[in-house]
Amino acid sequence: MRLATVIFPALLALAAVPQVQAAVSLHVTATIQERTTQMDVTLADSYMAVATPAGRVIYDFKTRRRFAINTAAGEYVEYSLYDTLGFRVMELQNRVHLQGALATAKVDTPALNMAVQENELSLLAGAPAVIDEKADGGTLAFSTGGTRLATWSQAGTKVAAADAALFARFMRYAQGGHPQLLDKLAKSGVIPGHLSFFVSGDRTLRLEISAVHTIQPQAYDLTPYKREMSASGLDAVLDRLAAMTPEQLAALRAQYPCDSASDFSEAQLLDTMLGKLECSLITGTPMVLTEEQKQAVKVSPSVGLLFAAINPGKSSEYEDALKTLVALRVQAPRKAYVLKIFEANHRVRMKQAKEGERLFMEVLQANPVLAGAYKDLGDLLLMQYDSPRAWRCWDTGRRLAPGFQNFEAVNKFEAGMAEQHPEYF
């Protein structure tokens, strides 16, 4: 089974990267709702590694990649490091929006406690809170506005300030914790022996930290493992392309060249235009037409129907637009699958996500180098809270068509996260 990293369970990993000066190793026993996970953790400037009996994950902060290793199968899957923080940013926005909607509707439902959400997602929803701190019997307790956030022991292992910051980064990715408390941990110079965090559903995450040592890290090595290759579905497409070298990727693109057809007669015009649209979605290069070709397009009934169906003026017109796109397939025997890109996006807007995803998959099976389709499919997957696969789609599309303007929103999203949340990187 594929090892996908999720938000709170710290999955897996053992590794290191070259040119690291020092690292800290430690053992973590994490318990929540009577479920206990044992972790051997390695922390260094440019990587973080967590190993459990289930497998391993390598967080590489230099390349901003994550490798989830299935040790039993000897396989791994590569993910973007942005997908964890990206999920949390989107999820926190959703919870803030939900809180506002509940307040506006005056629904008789308990309001979301945003301090609890911040504690769970390790992000601030607004201005920093006033944190109350109390010491009692060797334990520090933290709360805000009467909401308990965490406790941790005053006793622990003294470490360099930089190592305490690495431990706080581990908490952000693998366990959670209120960002202001993690900032405090990062500056404390101590890795506590015991920590507890209070999260939603009246749950308590308890951590026992032991065997803290300063070590000399060794470079991690993926050569004993091979990339996982799924047999079917989206993962099969993404796995195949992720395994390709730049030369192999160029060879694949050469198998699906831009359609060079230039027949602008009405009988062939729809196929010709879809081929040119496809080329733009492969390369990111805008379509260019001569004045004569523009005139042919302007008077073409089939292309007129296509453009009207691509851009319906009202939400009530989407159903008719879908019918038109389906009906046009018979007039475009070579490029009917390109029509499915537009149909898929309409399905998504009509909240028919599964049907939209199915159509995107049919498009990629017909042409696996259609970068624009990876962008749209990634957007859909993020809406479904599947951030790991969303980023895999976006990364695939950007490898296929570097500089494609359609991915600029993703580039800005990543740059914004890196700028606003440097503590994650």
Side-chain angles (χ1 to χ4, degrees):
M1 176 175 280
R2 181 177 298 268
L3 297 175
T5 306
V6 289
I7 302 303
F8 288 106
L11 297 178
L12 336 149
L14 180 69
V17 291
Q19 301 178 346
V20 178
Q21 299 303 315
V24 173
S25 66
L26 50 95
H27 184 80
V28 179
T29 300
T31 302
I32 187 167
Q33 290 188 317
E34 300 182 355
R35 186 177 67 180
T36 298
T37 303
Q38 303 292 338
M39 296 176 254
D40 290 314
V41 181
T42 303
L43 307 173
D45 290 342
S46 56
Y47 78 92
M48 179 176 75
V50 182
T52 76
R56 301 171 179 167
V57 169
I58 300 167
Y59 300 78
D60 189 325
F61 299 105
K62 185 176 181 180
T63 61
R64 297 187 179 175
R65 309 301 293 171
R66 181 177 71 256
F67 303 94
I69 303 172
N70 183 333
T71 50
E75 298 175 334
Y76 72 90
V77 180
E78 180 180 351
Y79 296 96
S80 170
L81 205 58
Y82 288 107
D83 62 31
T84 300
L85 179 56
F87 172 89
R88 295 185 188 186
V89 168
M90 298 293 292
E91 177 62 12
L92 186 58
Q93 290 175 355
N94 290 339
R95 296 185 190 186
V96 170
H97 177 75
L98 176 60
Q99 182 191 46
L102 291 173
T104 300
K106 298 181 180 180
V107 178
D108 187 18
T109 301
L112 291 175
N113 186 322
M114 294 314 298
V116 173
Q117 312 310 314
E118 293 173 336
N119 207 31
E120 189 167 278
L121 297 174
S122 299
L123 290 173
L124 285 176
V130 176
I131 304 294
D132 298 317
E133 177 181 338
K134 294 183 179 180
D136 183 21
T139 297
L140 296 175
F142 303 92
S143 63
T144 181
T147 298
R148 293 190 307 164
L149 298 176
T151 65
W152 62 67
S153 62
Q154 291 177 295
T157 304
K158 292 184 178 181
V159 295
D163 294 337
L166 297 179
F167 178 72
R169 185 169 64 182
F170 159 73
M171 292 294 299
R172 283 188 173 89
Y173 273 96
Q175 304 300 331
H178 195 282
Q180 291 173 244
L181 296 186
L182 297 183
D183 288 344
K184 184 177 181 66
L185 265 181
K187 300 171 184 176
S188 67
V190 174
I191 296 178
H194 312 279
L195 303 95
S196 293
F197 290 86
F198 308 109
V199 294
S200 61
D202 293 324
R203 297 171 299 154
T204 301
L205 170 65
R206 295 181 174 84
L207 306 173
E208 303 291 329
I209 312 297
S210 60
V212 181
H213 302 290
T214 300
I215 62 170
Q216 291 299 318
Q218 297 178 351
Y220 67 77
D221 183 10
L222 293 175
T223 55
Y225 309 99
K226 60 183 179 180
R227 287 184 181 269
E228 182 175 334
M229 290 293 164
S230 297
S232 61
L234 176 59
D235 286 331
V237 176
L238 298 175
D239 290 344
R240 177 192 173 204
L241 270 67
M244 289 184 177
T245 64
E247 294 75 18
Q248 290 171 329
L249 205 62
L252 179 66
R253 283 195 296 264
Q255 294 178 33
Y256 297 88
C258 282
D259 194 320
S260 60
S262 58
D263 188 343
F264 276 73
S265 65
E266 179 57 30
Q268 299 298 321
L269 185 50
L270 183 60
D271 252 336
T272 299
M273 284 300 295
L274 288 173
K276 291 186 177 297
L277 286 170
E278 178 186 35
C279 186
S280 293
L281 293 173
I282 291 173
T283 65
T285 303
M287 179 175 20
V288 177
L289 299 177
T290 67
E291 289 302 320
E292 183 180 358
Q293 291 169 343
K294 290 178 182 178
Q295 185 60 31
V297 168
K298 185 177 180 179
V299 300
S300 168
S302 61
V303 176
L305 288 172
L306 170 64
F307 288 163
I310 289 176
N311 296 299
K314 302 176 183 178
S315 58
S316 59
E317 297 174 356
Y318 276 110
E319 192 66 49
D320 287 339
L322 287 174
K323 293 177 181 178
T324 298
L325 291 171
V326 171
L328 287 173
R329 292 180 191 174
V330 296
Q331 298 184 46
R334 291 187 300 106
K335 297 297 178 180
Y337 61 89
V338 179
L339 291 165
K340 295 180 181 181
I341 299 174
F342 309 113
E343 182 184 345
N345 279 306
H346 286 355
R347 296 284 182 189
V348 172
R349 294 184 184 97
M350 296 172 67
K351 303 187 185 304
Q352 299 174 13
K354 288 185 178 180
E355 183 65 13
E357 185 173 347
R358 180 186 67 78
L359 287 164
F360 280 129
M361 284 304 306
E362 290 179 5
V363 171
L364 293 176
Q365 286 164 359
N367 186 342
V369 301
L370 245 166
Y374 289 102
K375 169 59 170 62
D376 294 345
L377 179 53
D379 293 350
L380 167 58
L381 291 168
L382 189 65
M383 290 169 54
Q384 296 177 308
Y385 302 101
D386 190 350
S387 61
R389 285 188 177 89
W391 252 274
R392 291 195 79 199
C393 284
W394 294 335
D395 287 346
T396 299
R398 286 182 289 186
R399 281 191 74 204
L400 288 166
F404 193 169
Q405 187 64 29
N406 281 22
F407 291 96
E408 187 58 27
V410 180
N411 298 335
K412 289 182 178 179
F413 188 22
E414 292 176 344
M417 287 191 286
E419 180 181 355
Q420 296 168 28
H421 304 286
E423 66 276 11
Y424 275 85
F425 303 103

